């Protein structure tokens, strides 16, 4: 893979130039939250954020979009969500998240709506630094060697730029004068030191190797019921997770009219309605059962099928769940460790009425 170099002051002009014919999405601060947004003012791009509120899956597959319209004459597919985009500032763990979605939506069950959007989106990754909630080193997703067109590694005054695809190379060729073709020995030394320092900065660690066995051995432990009593069934854990991929569809059709549309929107197996079938029967009405399913998928089933967890260590669920149900507290419970979490402190009587949402 070719590695070249870009002075920091040339990054924004480069992004401006390459986004003349594509939307550019990048992290920006909005109302005290960092989100991926369509960029109009390039000075607003946040180059230093650790994570965005929602993962980059929202740029490929929006939270809701139209799949097709029904007209009096037939169906019209709608791919308006899949316009040409550049996704800049995506960190290694989130690129790993997209690679997991690729397996599901491009290989196992080809999904034209995902495939079209993914093919039209160029991925420009950016290196990052862990905070106390990141554990990407434990999932081995803190480094990335595929799944991007360009990847920018932040050295103090410049970026080393990994060219990961011919589409990435074409972007470079639009402004070759911006780049130095060969990093210096000092750049390589700085990169080596940066990697060592970054890799020792991860404070949160989870041993995923033992998780499939522990999920099996502790399937009926009482802590699941405890979590189930505290869980609000809000679905936020799935919304923020870069690898969660469930969706539902809804038809909008007026009986009096010949036209209608089918909309697709993100769904979550932690929502009670997710498991509801005909006649209102719900085969996973108990919240604890839904949580067990979520974690079985992340920490056991996906590992059995693909050899790695369906968790990329981004830390979003640690920051999002209002009652502290997350990969860290669940893995600690599975390992029999003390867990300081809201769900573990909640008195039983205060939560009994929530046991079956
Ligand atoms: S399970 Fe939590 S830490 Fe893991 S990828 Fe999903 S949101 Fe991130
Ligand atoms: S585990 Fe937390 S974030 Fe997920 S549905 Fe329950 S309360 Fe909401």
């Amino acid at each position: 893979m070719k590695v070249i170099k870009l002075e920091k002051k040339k990054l924004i002009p480069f992004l401006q130039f390459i986004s003349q014919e594509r939307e550019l999405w990048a992290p920006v601060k909005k109302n005290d939250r960092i989100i991926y947004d369509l960029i109009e003012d390039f000075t607003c791009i946040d180059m230093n954020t650790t994570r965005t509120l929602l993962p980059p899956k929202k740029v490929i597959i929006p939270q809701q979009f139209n799949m097709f319209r029904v007209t009096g004459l037939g169906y019209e597919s709608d791919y308006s969500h899949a316009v040409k985009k550049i996704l800049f500032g995506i960190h290694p763990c989130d690129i790993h998240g997209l690679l997991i979605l690729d397996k599901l939506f491009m290989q196992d069950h080809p999904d034209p709506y995902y495939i079209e959007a993914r093919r039209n989106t160029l991925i420009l990754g950016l290196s990052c630094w862990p905070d106390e909630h990141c554990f990407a080193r434990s999932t081995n997703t803190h480094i990335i060697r595929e799944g991007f067109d360009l990847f920018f590694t932040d050295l103090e005054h410049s970026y080393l730029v990994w060219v990961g695809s011919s589409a990435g190379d074409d972007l470079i060729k639009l402004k070759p004068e911006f780049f130095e073709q060969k990093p210096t020995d000092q750049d390589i030394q700085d990169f080596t030191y940066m990697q060592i320092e970054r890799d020792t900065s991860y404070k949160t660690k989870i041993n995923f190797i033992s998780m499939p066995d522990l999920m099996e051995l502790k399937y009926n432990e009482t802590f699941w019921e405890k979590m189930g009593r505290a869980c609000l069934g809000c679905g936020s854990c799935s919304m923020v997770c870069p690898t969660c991929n469930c969706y539902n569809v809804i038809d909008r059709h007026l009986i009096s009219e010949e036209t209608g549309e089918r909309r697709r929107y993100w769904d979550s197996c932690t929502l009670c309605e997710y498991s509801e079938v005909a006649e209102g029967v719900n085969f996973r009405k108990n919240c604890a059962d839904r949580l067990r399913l979520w974690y079985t998928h992340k920490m056991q089933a996906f590992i059995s099928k693909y050899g790695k967890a369906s968790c990329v260590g981004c830390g979003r669920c640690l920051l999002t769940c209002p009652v502290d149900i997350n990969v860290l507290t669940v893995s600690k419970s599975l390992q029999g460790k003390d867990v300081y979490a809201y769900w573990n402190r909640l008195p039983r009587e205060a939560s009994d009425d929530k046991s079956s949402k």
Side-chain angles (χ1 to χ4, degrees):
M1 196 179 296
K2 187 164 80 174
V3 185
I4 52 180
K5 181 179 168 181
L6 178 71
E7 269 182 77
K8 276 200 167 168
K9 64 181 183 194
K10 292 180 180 164
L11 178 60
I12 295 287
F14 176 65
L15 294 177
Q16 282 173 320
F17 193 81
I18 62 174
S19 59
Q20 285 172 1
E21 290 176 8
R22 288 175 174 268
E23 291 183 356
L24 187 123
W25 289 69
V28 293
K29 192 170 186 181
K30 261 197 181 168
N31 303 326
D32 289 334
R33 303 278 172 89
I34 308 291
I35 62 165
Y36 280 105
D37 207 1
L38 179 60
I39 300 301
E40 284 163 5
D41 178 356
F42 284 72
T43 61
C44 291
I45 297 176
D46 189 331
M47 304 285 181
N48 301 310
T49 186
T50 308
R51 68 179 68 70
T52 50
L53 178 68
L54 290 180
K57 68 182 180 184
K58 81 164 202 180
V59 180
I60 310 285
I61 287 285
Q63 284 151 292
Q64 55 170 300
F65 65 94
N66 208 21
M67 297 173 79
F68 57 78
R69 286 188 195 86
V70 182
T71 66
L73 301 171
Y75 296 91
E76 277 174 11
S77 293
D78 183 351
Y79 283 90
S80 52
H81 70 288
V83 296
K84 288 188 173 179
K85 293 175 192 163
I86 294 171
L87 182 49
F88 171 75
I90 171 168
H91 295 161
C93 67
D94 278 339
I95 298 177
H96 279 280
L98 285 182
L99 289 173
I100 286 176
L101 296 184
D102 289 353
K103 278 191 203 308
L104 302 169
F105 288 140
M106 295 178 90
Q107 293 170 20
D108 293 2
H109 307 284
D111 169 359
Y113 293 94
Y114 180 87
I115 292 170
E116 185 71 9
R118 187 72 162 99
R119 289 201 174 134
N120 278 338
T121 305
L122 296 174
I123 303 294
L124 273 53
L126 180 63
S127 62
C128 53
W129 207 262
D131 66 6
E132 68 273 28
H133 303 294
C134 295
F135 54 94
R137 191 150 200 268
S138 302
T139 45
N140 204 24
T141 51
H142 60 310
I143 47 174
I144 187 77
R145 306 204 192 283
E146 59 174 332
F148 57 83
D149 297 290
L150 296 175
F151 190 88
F152 295 77
T153 298
D154 187 346
L155 303 182
E156 205 176 333
H157 302 294
S158 59
Y159 296 102
L160 291 189
V161 185
W162 270 254
V163 183
S165 72
S166 55
D169 205 27
D170 289 344
L171 290 179
I172 301 295
K173 283 179 187 151
L174 291 173
K175 277 284 171 195
E177 67 275 21
F178 277 19
F179 295 87
E180 293 168 42
Q181 291 306 312
K182 205 169 178 306
T184 63
D185 288 346
Q186 186 60 51
D187 294 330
I188 296 168
Q189 198 64 46
D190 291 348
F191 170 69
T192 307
Y193 286 142
M194 181 280 288
Q195 270 204 318
I196 293 168
E197 201 186 333
R198 187 210 48 210
D199 290 359
T200 52
S201 300
Y202 285 88
K203 303 280 180 276
T204 300
K205 295 177 181 135
I206 297 177
N207 177 1
F208 276 86
I209 294 170
S210 57
M211 287 305 145
D213 290 333
L214 290 176
M215 282 297 303
E216 199 75 52
L217 291 164
K218 302 220 169 172
Y219 196 78
N220 293 314
E221 285 288 312
T222 51
F223 63 75
W224 292 112
E225 291 303 325
K226 261 186 164 181
M227 284 180 209
R229 285 196 293 273
C231 176
L232 305 168
C234 64
S236 301
C237 44
S238 297
M239 302 302 122
V240 302
C241 180
T243 69
C244 274
N245 51 76
C246 292
Y247 66 87
N248 204 346
V249 294
I250 189 166
D251 288 344
R252 286 191 184 161
H253 180 66
L254 295 177
I255 292 174
S256 57
E257 294 179 9
E258 287 188 331
T259 59
E261 60 185 21
R262 175 164 292 179
R263 293 191 71 75
R264 169 168 162 175
Y265 57 90
W266 294 2
D267 205 349
S268 167
C269 60
T270 57
L271 297 174
C272 189
E273 300 77 21
Y274 183 87
S275 310
E276 201 167 88
V277 292
E279 292 193 359
V281 174
N282 195 320
F283 53 88
R284 221 173 279 117
K285 197 162 186 176
N286 187 295
C287 220
D289 291 341
R290 302 201 295 274
L291 289 173
R292 215 170 354 216
L293 175 76
W294 204 87
Y295 284 97
T296 300
H297 177 76
K298 297 269 176 228
M299 308 210 290
Q300 186 190 43
F302 204 84
I303 297 178
S304 302
K305 186 161 183 194
Y306 296 107
K308 60 180 183 181
S310 175
C311 168
V312 294
C314 71
R316 287 185 178 92
C317 59
L318 277 63
L319 285 158
T320 302
C321 177
V323 296
D324 300 333
I325 300 167
N326 55 55
V327 173
L328 183 62
T329 60
V330 169
S331 62
K332 278 186 172 176
S333 301
L334 288 167
Q335 289 168 328
K337 294 181 181 168
D338 286 339
V339 177
Y340 186 76
Y342 179 84
W343 63 262
N344 208 17
R345 302 195 301 274
L346 195 65
R348 188 187 172 101
E349 58 276 14
S351 58
D352 269 355
D353 59 333
K354 295 181 186 167
S355 58
S356 64
K357 295 183 288 289

